[in-house]
Amino acid sequence: MADVKLDLLQGTLDLMVLQTLASMGPLHGYGIARRIEQVSGDEILLNQGTIYASLVRLQQRGWISAQWGISENNRKAKYYAITRSGRGQLAKDSAYWRRLSSVMGRVLAMQSEGDL
Amino acid sequence: MGALRESWNRLQSFFQKQQRDAELDAEIAAHVELAFEENMRLGMPEAEARRQALIRFGGVQQAKERQRAARGLPWLDILLQDIRYTLRTLGRDRGFTIVAVLILGLGIGANVAVFSVVNTILLRPLPFSQPQRLIRITTKNTTGGESSMTYSTDATQEFQQRNKSFQSVTGYFAFTSSDNYKLTVGQGQPVPVTGILVMGNFFQTLGVEPFLGRLFTADECLPNSRPAVLLSYAFWKRQFGGNRSIVGQAIDLNGSPVTVVGVLPNTFDFGSVFSPGAKVDIFTPFIMYNFQDDGNVLALMGLLKSGVTLVAAQAEADLLFPKLDPSLRNPNWKGDYTGRLLGMKDYVTGKLRRSLIVLWSAVGMILLIVCVNLSNLLLALTAARSMEFAMRSALGAGRGRLIRQ
């Protein structure tokens, strides 16, 4: 059970990271985590540390690239940027998520009608 | 493409652990600092700002471990850890190691030894082209030893002509002693070699093709023909160093020159089929005419015609053998021949079969006992470590990992 949950979360987090980088441009790990927290409106309580597993995975698949840089307040930080193949993957994954969530929406709606 | 790149990257990470870990440490430190500074800007007191930053980050160690699992080859890391642990345990527990290795070695060794014998004798097919149609012909009464299992030259020729079951019938001179020839090379000392006389169609019947040269011709089996000899592969390698040009040359056997007409293949071992333990070096043609007055000298075998069953051939042999005339020139000789046909494989395996199977089962049992003993030892060890296991599983160790260790 725990494994299934974790898998879903991982996949979701990867997609969120890709989307964040696509819309915001290069960011460091903290920036990405903060951005996801803000957008989600505190609905998911993200352990910010988990983002690094996601980042290294995306990087190894060649969907994002990484480079050390200097942050706005003069601190050394690793900046991540989405690559061309990352954008392709993002398009594929987001289409999949949209389909899935619309199907889930319909299925759940049907169930509540049956209850009534 | 993506999967390939990922595997490659994972492999690289596996070999660059320290560098990657240092990078990750720096990255996490920067993350916490950034969070801390933002919290300070929001007006938190310094201690609270740092505390909040760490809380939001979550477990630093967990984050590192997850990142490592995602980037490297976790299963390989775990495997290496387990191997190191095993070696440490074995090194610490010398007594157990020695006992385990000894009894395992004993059990496996006995099995290997017996299996290699069983494989050669029972399982492997005979090294002939049509082993299932090859038949050994012996007399029914075998109490008289070798001489009561053989036939005269005239009886053999008569059987060859009159039978309808066999495609060909052949035989060899059954009364050969070892080292019955002397080979002289140049001016050196004579070397004793073992030769056997075989009928002209012997190798053709068995389906043995020469490795080099040719088999005997019909002419070479006639009286006063040019003497010829075939070499066994092992003898050719040993005595002539595998020299291919020996074929066609004459060698000095018992003081007279004999032409080497060919070399037999490595797969053909006369001894292993017809007389276990014997090592035959050379083969010379059996000239029927020269043995006409010598009584029963031939051990016979034949190749059944295809489609003829052993039962049908046996029925014909029961009719034919008592009628065979042992000698045309000695009409007072009594034949009283019988013929018992036996598949060549059964003949070779013969009496050994049952004892080999018993032996095989016995060593199988030994291996089983070895396994039982080892598992007992392991069980005892596990019982002794039950406290440790309980503690570790309470701390969250995986079941598979515990069993492996």
Side-chain angles (χ1 to χ4, degrees):
Chain A
M1 277 306 280
D3 279 350
V4 174
K5 249 186 193 163
L6 195 68
D7 266 351
L8 187 65
L9 198 64
Q10 268 183 9
T12 335
L13 187 58
D14 287 3
L15 181 55
M16 288 179 189
V17 170
L18 281 180
Q19 173 63 37
T20 308
L21 287 177
S23 56
M24 304 284 296
L27 274 178
H28 44 65
Y30 177 67
I32 299 168
R34 285 297 296 147
R35 187 66 199 158
I36 291 175
E37 281 175 350
Q38 284 163 8
V39 170
S40 75
D42 285 338
E43 282 205 55
I44 52 165
L45 194 62
L46 181 69
N47 259 348
Q48 293 174 355
T50 52
I51 206 158
Y52 288 98
S54 176
L55 283 171
V56 81
R57 192 163 43 237
L58 293 172
Q59 195 186 340
Q60 288 193 335
R61 286 177 190 163
W63 296 339
I64 60 175
S65 60
Q67 218 174 7
W68 284 96
I70 304 294
S71 74
E72 56 272 27
N73 42 3
N74 269 337
R75 200 164 279 290
K76 228 179 132 204
K78 210 176 191 178
Y79 277 79
Y80 295 90
I82 191 162
T83 63
R84 183 202 286 270
S85 69
R87 283 184 197 278
Q89 188 64 30
L90 173 62
K92 238 193 282 177
D93 282 358
S94 44
Y96 168 78
W97 269 101
R98 285 205 188 93
R99 267 179 68 196
L100 185 67
S101 67
S102 84
V103 168
M104 285 304 288
R106 269 178 293 169
V107 168
L108 292 176
M110 173 192 77
Q111 238 181 12
S112 58
E113 273 170 24
D115 280 347
L116 294 170
Chain B
M1 191 34 203
L4 197 69
R5 182 194 324 218
E6 188 181 356
S7 313
W8 170 242
N9 280 328
R10 275 175 182 259
L11 195 67
Q12 271 191 324
S13 303
F14 177 76
F15 290 110
Q16 299 175 346
K17 278 202 193 72
Q18 285 185 340
Q19 193 197 331
R20 301 281 163 116
D21 276 347
E23 257 183 64
L24 181 63
D25 283 344
E27 214 179 341
I28 290 173
H31 181 118
V32 174
E33 281 306 312
L34 284 166
F36 168 68
E37 280 167 19
E38 189 176 338
N39 288 344
M40 290 285 278
R41 272 205 303 284
L42 291 173
M44 287 187 199
E46 191 180 331
E48 179 65 9
R50 188 161 293 280
R51 201 173 78 88
Q52 281 300 329
L54 285 174
I55 287 174
R56 299 306 297 276
F57 187 83
V60 174
Q61 200 55 42
Q62 284 96 313
K64 280 191 196 172
E65 268 166 23
R66 271 203 205 157
Q67 200 256 17
R68 274 188 211 128
R71 78 173 184 218
L73 299 169
W75 53 267
L76 189 57
D77 280 326
I78 290 176
L79 184 70
L80 288 179
Q81 272 177 20
D82 283 349
I83 289 174
R84 274 196 293 268
Y85 178 80
T86 309
L87 291 180
R88 271 206 312 278
T89 317
L90 288 180
R92 198 173 51 214
D93 212 344
R94 284 278 158 70
F96 174 78
T97 313
I98 291 170
V99 170
V101 168
L102 264 183
I103 60 179
L104 262 185
L106 221 68
I108 295 172
N111 265 279
V112 168
V114 170
F115 181 77
S116 60
V117 175
V118 168
N119 183 36
T120 339
I121 297 182
L122 286 187
L123 302 180
R124 219 184 307 163
L126 293 171
F128 305 129
S129 58
Q130 286 167 317
Q132 67 285 359
R133 277 167 56 198
L134 275 178
I135 302 296
R136 181 76 163 85
I137 305 168
T138 63
T139 54
K140 288 190 172 171
N141 175 12
T142 57
T143 50
E146 197 69 15
S147 64
S148 73
M149 287 166 63
T150 49
Y151 301 87
S152 70
T153 54
D154 286 345
T156 302
Q157 276 171 334
E158 193 182 344
F159 183 68
Q160 280 181 325
Q161 283 153 15
R162 289 177 66 181
N163 89 82
K164 300 198 165 41
S165 308
F166 287 95
Q167 189 172 316
S168 85
V169 173
T170 190
Y172 63 89
F173 182 68
F175 302 98
T176 305
S177 54
S178 57
D179 298 340
N180 52 348
Y181 285 92
K182 286 196 168 33
L183 170 73
T184 314
V185 181
Q187 301 299 313
Q189 285 287 314
V191 185
V193 296
T194 304
I196 203 155
L197 296 162
V198 297
M199 282 168 61
N201 61 347
F202 184 74
F203 297 108
Q204 288 88 338
T205 305
L206 295 181
V208 174
E209 298 287 332
F211 173 69
L212 287 177
R214 57 170 175 81
L215 300 172
F216 298 128
T217 60
D219 282 352
E220 280 161 353
C221 303
L222 296 176
N224 303 318
S225 58
R226 213 166 79 124
V229 64
L230 279 165
L231 308 180
S232 80
Y233 186 89
F235 181 70
W236 173 61
K237 278 280 181 203
R238 183 162 33 106
Q239 188 65 42
F240 299 103
N243 176 13
R244 285 168 174 265
S245 65
I246 194 72
V247 175
Q249 289 184 14
I251 58 173
D252 186 329
L253 278 178
N254 290 353
S256 53
V258 181
T259 308
V260 176
V261 297
V263 175
L264 293 167
N266 198 10
T267 48
F268 177 72
D269 179 6
F270 182 91
S272 77
V273 180
F274 297 104
S275 66
K279 175 177 64 67
V280 176
D281 302 318
I282 60 172
F283 297 85
T284 47
F286 178 85
I287 295 163
M288 301 289 260
Y289 181 82
N290 296 350
F291 291 89
Q292 271 181 336
D293 291 326
D294 288 5
N296 298 334
V297 291
L298 281 170
L300 295 188
M301 59 232 60
L303 181 68
L304 283 178
K305 286 178 183 161
S306 67
V308 175
T309 64
L310 187 57
V311 179
Q314 180 68 61
E316 189 196 35
D318 286 343
L319 287 177
L320 212 46
F321 269 102
K323 293 184 196 155
L324 295 181
D325 198 352
S327 175
L328 302 174
R329 291 199 297 204
N330 302 285
N332 54 330
W333 283 11
K334 275 184 36 185
D336 293 338
Y337 289 122
T338 51
R340 188 170 68 112
L341 310 190
L342 201 59
M344 190 66 91
K345 183 80 197 174
D346 294 331
Y347 169 75
V348 173
T349 318
K351 294 170 202 143
L352 283 177
R353 188 183 179 83
R354 182 177 297 179
S355 41
L356 270 180
I357 289 176
V358 169
L359 193 62
W360 200 9
S361 317
V363 291
M365 285 300 287
I366 290 178
L367 191 64
L368 212 67
I369 293 170
V370 162
C371 291
V372 170
N373 274 322
L374 260 190
S375 48
N376 267 335
L377 273 176
L378 284 174
L379 219 61
L381 222 61
T382 313
R385 286 175 65 189
S386 61
M387 304 274 264
E388 177 202 332
F389 287 143
M391 174 67 83
R392 283 171 59 189
S393 71
L395 287 175
R399 183 174 295 238
R401 200 79 194 280
L402 280 185
I403 290 174
R404 248 177 292 155
Q405 296 187 349

